[in-house]
Amino acid sequence: GPGQSPLIPDNAHQPSLAYVPYLLTGDRYYAEEMAFWANYAMIRTYPGDGVRSSSGVIENNEVRGFGWGLRNIVDAAAMYPDASAVRSYLIAKVTNNLQWLDNYANAQDLTTNPFQILWLFERPDGKQFISMWEQAYLMHAIDRARQQGFSGGLAHRDAIAKFQLKLFTSDPEYPRAQGAPYIVSVGVPGATTTLSSFTFFTSMAQIWAGTQGQERPFAGYYGPEARMSLLVAIQNGW
């Protein structure tokens, strides 16, 4: 509005402002700044769907907002001074988020959802689409939590990374050269925006037929995001 700055905080585009400065300096200011942004990610998450509650689960965001927010909560929890109650608080929130992510991934019915597709109905482009580049940020945040010493979330990480891998290993059903599209069509929506009315595709050929027209070059678009998931695939020997 009039007189307001256009620069506003936003979970979906949240940077990491204080983690590297804190590693370099050990300055208490940067520790507090890390904790501030970690808590902001939770406060910014609208609690209307009842998931966040006091557990701090930041599901009610754009998928990339979950990714970047979780990244900041994880880094603050890992590096905040050990004896502080703030660190214990943040560790509990990381644990809650990783557990929720695993529960969500493990709840998928592989009979009706054979590719373990996650995060339906999150794209404005159509109910049949998901965004792998947004999911890559969340996948990366979960893997970063593992690197920082936390357990949990790996079922969710693996579901995202394995589907990205399928886009590169299913030629000719799905052309390898189009493995990092803008959005991916994963099924046919029903009359209502519910999982029970959604029919998932069961072949990569169906996915390609629905995705055509959404291709992007790797360079300059979503190649780096796809690469993050492929690195996890290589590290796990998939």
Side-chain angles (χ1 to χ4, degrees), residues 17-233:
L17 294 172
Y19 175 71
V20 170
Y22 183 55
L23 292 184
L24 291 172
T25 68
D27 192 313
R28 182 60 179 265
Y29 171 83
Y30 292 120
E32 297 289 355
E33 191 75 359
M34 282 196 308
F36 171 85
W37 284 108
N39 211 46
Y40 172 84
M42 293 180 275
I43 294 172
R44 175 69 183 244
T45 302
Y46 179 61
D49 63 356
V51 174
R52 191 201 74 182
S53 65
S54 62
S55 67
V57 175
I58 58 173
E59 161 269 345
N60 198 10
N61 280 285
E62 295 180 39
V63 180
R64 56 186 168 178
F66 200 157
W68 295 137
L70 179 60
R71 179 269 318 269
N72 282 357
I73 300 169
V74 163
D75 284 350
M79 294 299 168
Y80 205 85
D82 289 350
S84 172
V86 172
R87 185 168 191 259
S88 299
Y89 164 83
L90 292 171
I91 288 173
K93 305 315 181 193
V94 171
T95 301
N96 293 341
N97 275 278
L98 295 176
Q99 185 62 63
W100 186 93
L101 287 163
D102 270 345
N103 290 344
Y104 173 36
N106 290 329
Q108 303 308 306
D109 184 348
L110 298 183
T111 303
T112 58
N113 181 7
F115 298 119
Q116 203 176 7
I117 301 298
L118 307 174
W119 300 106
L120 286 178
F121 315 132
E122 296 287 336
R123 291 297 308 174
D125 318 88
K127 296 176 184 177
Q128 72 272 37
F129 292 114
I130 63 169
S131 164
M132 290 309 296
W133 52 272
E134 285 198 49
Q135 293 191 28
Y137 303 146
L138 178 55
M139 184 283 307
H140 170 69
I142 298 168
D143 197 56
R144 184 167 182 77
R146 177 192 63 80
Q147 293 170 337
Q148 292 279 37
F150 296 100
S151 61
L154 297 186
H156 202 102
R157 179 203 68 176
D158 291 356
I160 294 171
K162 284 182 177 180
F163 183 64
Q164 180 68 76
L165 180 63
K166 290 286 287 185
L167 299 181
F168 281 85
T169 57
S170 301
D171 216 342
E173 279 194 276
Y174 188 102
R176 179 187 183 94
Q178 308 304 334
Y182 167 54
I183 45 179
V184 182
S185 178
V186 294
V188 180
T192 60
T193 307
T194 60
L195 187 62
S196 60
S197 70
F198 191 91
T199 302
F200 288 97
F201 291 146
T202 57
S203 74
M204 294 304 293
Q206 289 175 306
I207 288 175
W208 171 238
T211 301
Q212 289 184 59
Q214 305 299 335
E215 306 94 284
R216 297 291 189 276
F218 294 142
Y221 288 90
Y222 308 111
E225 286 82 353
R227 184 181 178 87
M228 289 197 294
S229 290
L230 295 180
L231 287 169
V232 169

